[in-house]
């Protein structure tokens, strides 16, 4: 096809080749020709490239950000880590803003929901695009918990905000932000008789944010639940938990190979996976990481210990404490663990005392949706 300047390669071949390349290369190749620019910006190509990355487990990275005490005034940075490389390396990301306080609320299709100081942003670090969101504020608000959602039918990233009040008798109101409409709307109250539990990482599966909830007030320490936000119906739903021999003190959530996972942190580091989503009987214990040091009990422990993703050859990426110290955060490390060989190896050279981390896939997806014409590279 002469329009491509490559008469010996048909359009389909070029399409297939480009869909397998890293985002950084595709951004450079936009300047090759107008047809290439149009192709790489095409919504169908963007979705095809994302699908190829997810199917082949390529272009997946970790976002790592050092964390400090609230009130820390010096700007901090985000870092990208290729954990699948033979010798995992970490690179500083170019940031469109300076900030001091950071919360990572979720990641899906390459788009992250991050709290930057007192503001929210939907951000794709691979293409440098972001959408600024005004956070929810209320005179009677005690704290707001956010979650990232994606409406695949309408190609719309959404932010779920649950406003936790300081009065226990008042049900928490729920608001939803639409990236397409660029506005918040109220959808009623949180209709569970429990409060969202901040001590564990939240995760996004199939476009729905999942949280751990606990009874409020915390009279029963074993009374924990998993809830998800159904994006289409815009309501919260209960997700069945594994059947434990005894009540579970504390745990957190993760996603492995498209399946919801629970990490039971009571004695060791027990990994449970829900092989068929929504089916209680499909929960199975995948493996156990033994002899994990545990100095800090309860919610704080489960907040710091995190299951991230599969690496290769059955290995998993974890955030763990590798040795006993007076303060848990002094010995937190990223670890690539092989459950068959029972070995651990540190995957991050930096010696940060405390850091946030999440998984993301490098993609061309705009925070405004795949069909958006507003995009950068």
């Amino acid at each position: 096809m002469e329009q491509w300047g490559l008469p010996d390669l048909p359009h389909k071949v070029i399409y297939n080749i480009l869909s397998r390349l890293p985002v950084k290369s595709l951004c450079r190749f936009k300047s090759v020709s107008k047809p290439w620019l149009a192709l790489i910006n095409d919504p169908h190509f963007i979705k095809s490239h994302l699908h190829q990355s997810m199917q082949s487990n390529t272009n997946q990275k970790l976002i790592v950000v050092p964390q400090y005490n609230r009130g820390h005034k010096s700007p901090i940075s985000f870092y990208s880590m290729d954990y699948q490389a033979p010798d995992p390396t970490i690179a500083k990301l170019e940031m469109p803003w300076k900030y001091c306080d950071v919360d990572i609320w979720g990641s899906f299709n390459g788009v992250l929901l991050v709290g930057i100081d007192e503001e929210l942003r939907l951000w794709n670090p691979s293409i440098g695009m972001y959408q600024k969101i005004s956070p929810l504020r209320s005179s009677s608000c005690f704290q707001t918990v956010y979650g990232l959602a994606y409406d695949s039918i309408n190609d719309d990233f959404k932010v779920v905000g649950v406003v936790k009040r300081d009065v226990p008798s008042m049900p928490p109101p729920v608001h939803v932000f639409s990236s397409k409409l660029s506005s918040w709307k109220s959808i009623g109250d949180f209709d569970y008789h429990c409060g969202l539990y901040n001590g564990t990482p939240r995760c996004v599966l199939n476009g729905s944010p999942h949280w751990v909830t606990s009874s409020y007030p915390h009279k029963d320490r074993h009374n924990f639940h998993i809830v998800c936000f159904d994006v289409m119906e815009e309501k919260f739903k209960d997700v069945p938990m594994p059947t434990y021999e005894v009540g579970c003190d504390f745990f957190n959530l993760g996603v492995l190979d498209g399946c919801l996972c629970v990490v039971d942190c009571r004695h060791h580091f027990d990994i449970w996976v829900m092989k068929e989503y929504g089916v209680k009987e499909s929960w199975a214990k995948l493996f156990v990481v033994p002899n994990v040091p545990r100095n800090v009990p309860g919610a704080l422990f489960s907040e710091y210990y995190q299951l991230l993703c599969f690496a290769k050859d059955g290995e998993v990426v974890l955030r763990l404490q590798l040795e006993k110290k007076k303060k848990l955060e002094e010995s937190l490390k990223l670890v690539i663990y092989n459950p068959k060989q029972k070995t651990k190896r540190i995957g991050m050279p930096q010696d940060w005392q405390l850091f946030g981390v999440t998984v993301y896939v490098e993609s061309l997806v705009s925070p405004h949706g795949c069909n958006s014409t507003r995009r950068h590279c």
Side-chain angles (χ1 to χ4, degrees), residues 26-41:
L26 292 173
C27 289
R28 293 200 306 266
F29 292 164
K30 285 185 176 183
S31 60
V32 170
S33 65
K34 288 184 178 180
W36 280 39
L37 173 64
L39 172 63
I40 297 171
N41 280 340

Side-chain angles (χ1 to χ4, degrees), residues 124-159:
N124 184 334
S126 303
I127 59 175
M129 286 195 67
Y130 69 92
Q131 182 178 13
K132 189 175 178 179
I133 303 172
S134 298
L136 292 170
R137 290 186 174 90
S138 172
S139 58
S140 60
C141 171
F142 173 68
Q143 189 178 21
T144 302
V145 176
Y146 294 104
L148 176 63
Y150 178 66
D151 178 354
S152 59
I153 302 298
N154 298 300
D155 188 31
D156 189 11
F157 283 100
K158 295 185 176 182
V159 179

Side-chain angles (χ1 to χ4, degrees), residues 54 205-206 254-261 273-275 277 310:
M54 301 300 288
L205 176 62
N206 301 326
V255 176
L256 285 180
D257 199 22
C259 294
L260 183 66
C261 292
V273 60
M274 180 183 269
K275 296 182 178 181
Y277 185 80
F310 274 123

Side-chain angles (χ1 to χ4, degrees), residues 176-311:
V176 176
F177 178 89
S178 165
S179 62
K180 275 194 169 183
L181 300 178
S182 192
S183 63
W184 289 97
K185 71 174 181 179
S186 174
I187 62 169
D189 294 331
F190 187 64
D191 56 0
Y192 283 73
H193 297 291
C194 55
L196 289 175
Y197 178 54
N198 284 338
T200 60
R202 70 290 303 168
C203 68
V204 185
L205 176 62
N206 301 326
S208 295
H210 289 65
W211 292 275
V212 176
T213 66
S214 62
S215 295
Y216 185 81
H218 299 281
K219 294 181 179 179
D220 183 0
R221 65 182 303 191
H222 301 300
N223 192 11
F224 287 84
H225 310 273
I226 302 172
V227 296
C228 74
F229 182 76
D230 188 302
V231 182
M232 303 310 300
E233 297 185 19
E234 293 193 335
K235 64 168 62 173
F236 288 93
K237 294 184 177 180
D238 215 351
V239 179
M241 289 180 53
T243 301
Y244 299 102
E245 294 179 359
V246 295
C248 184
D249 292 318
F250 42 90
F251 61 93
N252 61 32
L253 302 176
V255 176
L256 285 180
D257 199 22
C259 294
L260 183 66
C261 292
V262 160
V263 182
D264 179 2
C265 306
R266 286 173 296 170
H267 307 295
H268 300 290
F269 201 83
D270 299 352
I271 312 296
W272 292 73
V273 60
M274 180 183 269
K275 296 182 178 181
E276 186 176 349
Y277 185 80
V279 179
K280 184 179 180 64
E281 293 74 20
S282 71
W283 279 109
K285 186 181 291 188
L286 196 60
F287 60 87
V288 176
V289 183
N291 303 320
V292 176
R294 175 178 163 184
N295 291 339
V296 183
L300 188 61
F301 178 89
S302 57
E303 177 183 8
Y304 288 150
Y305 283 52
Q306 190 175 353
L307 169 70
L308 292 165
C309 56
F310 274 123

